[in-house]
Each structure stands twice: as structure tokens, then as C-alpha cells.
Amino acid sequence: MRRMLLEGLFRRPVTEGSPTVADAEIEALAERLGVAAKARLGRSLSIREVDAGSCNGCELEIHALNNSYYDVERFGLRFVASPRHADLLMVTGPVTANMREGLERTYAATPAPKWVVAVGDCAAGCGVFRKSYAVIGSVSAVIPVDLVIPGCPPEPIDMLKGLIGLVEASARG
């Protein structure tokens, strides 16, 4: 036991390396998204995340957008607690029977103009939960979806790229 304790004290911790994307690329992407949001909305983009019945893999990646590595809030993107303050709903997971009404009410409470992003394979097509008795269907079966970000789970950089495309396209159109 003593040997294990001493080895643990002097051995470097085993951790995952940082993401392979260059800091400059992340900064450029987030800056573009912030500029596009200000052009379209006249202010920062406010995001409400909704878990409609997922395994939480996508939520972990969404939360990574707020960690010290990505830190999207420095570019004016922020996550809000109420759909009444949101411009965009990021929905994860297949819609389950007990979350259908909650998702519909959240969508109704979000003021226009609003966007809905289905994050992950489960939100887009139910993924591995497709034949579950508790699953109603994909997000698009319950509310209109403007963008699908595929992946199981999608990486934070892919979410940034998708949000940029959505906001820039709506600013042009």
C-alpha cells in the first residue's frame, strides 16, 4: 500500500490531451459566430439547451463549449436558463413520451425569431433508441428543426461550425 501511495504521488497524472483543433481556428470560428449573431439579432446569441431524452453524451460536448478551452461566452454566445430569453434551442436525444410536452412548451415559450438545432444522431433520427417503447421520434417529428448536427456525440467544433452556418445563412436570407 505504501508503495502505491508513493508511486501515485510522484507519477504524472493520466489525462486526456487537449483537443487537436488549433486555438486560432476556434477563436476565428467563435468570432465569426458572434459577428453573424450581432448582424442578425443586433446582440449576442442566447442558447437554451434541451435534453429530450438523451444519454447525456451530447450534453457533455455542449457543456464543453463553456469550458476554459472553448469559452464561447467571450465571443458573446451565452447559454440561458429560460426559453423566454433564448434565440436558439439546442435539442439533444430522441423525444421521449414524457418530454414531448416539455419540448413543445419550451418551443412555444421561445420568442421569434428562433432557431432549433437537433444535436447528435439521436435527435436527428433516434439513434440506438429508435425502437424503444418510450421514444416518440426525432426532434423534427415534434417541432420544426432548422439545423441538424450529426455525430454521436458531435464535437464542440462541429457545433460551432453548424451554428455559424445557420446564423450566417439566415442573415443573408
Side-chain angles (χ1 to χ4, degrees), residues 21-173:
V21 182
D23 290 339
E25 183 182 359
I26 292 170
E27 197 160 324
L29 286 172
E31 184 69 31
R32 262 181 67 199
L33 183 52
V35 168
K38 284 189 192 312
R40 173 71 166 98
L41 301 168
R43 58 181 163 72
S44 299
L45 180 67
S46 299
I47 303 168
R48 171 73 174 135
E49 194 274 323
V50 179
D51 179 353
S54 76
C55 70
N56 287 49
C58 294
E59 281 80 15
L60 291 172
E61 298 300 316
I62 289 172
H63 290 280
L65 290 172
N66 270 334
N67 72 19
S68 60
Y69 187 80
Y70 293 98
D71 191 20
V72 294
E73 198 156 324
R74 66 186 159 154
F75 302 106
L77 308 174
R78 61 192 177 102
F79 286 85
V80 294
S82 171
R84 289 179 179 86
H85 302 155
D87 305 308
L88 182 136
L89 297 177
M90 290 183 89
V91 186
T92 62
V95 182
T96 58
N98 34 339
M99 277 303 295
R100 179 185 194 135
E101 182 183 353
L103 181 58
E104 290 170 340
R105 291 174 74 181
T106 300
Y107 180 79
T110 306
K114 59 186 163 190
W115 297 292
V116 176
V117 177
V119 179
D121 292 341
C122 294
C126 300
V128 298
F129 304 107
R130 181 176 325 245
K131 295 185 182 192
S132 172
Y133 68 92
V135 171
I136 300 292
S138 65
V139 175
S140 62
V142 179
I143 58 175
V145 172
D146 300 299
L147 173 68
V148 173
I149 300 175
C152 186
E155 293 184 19
I157 196 78
D158 296 332
M159 289 183 231
L160 278 176
K161 289 176 182 176
L163 292 175
I164 288 170
L166 176 66
V167 175
E168 284 182 345
S170 67
R172 285 190 300 262

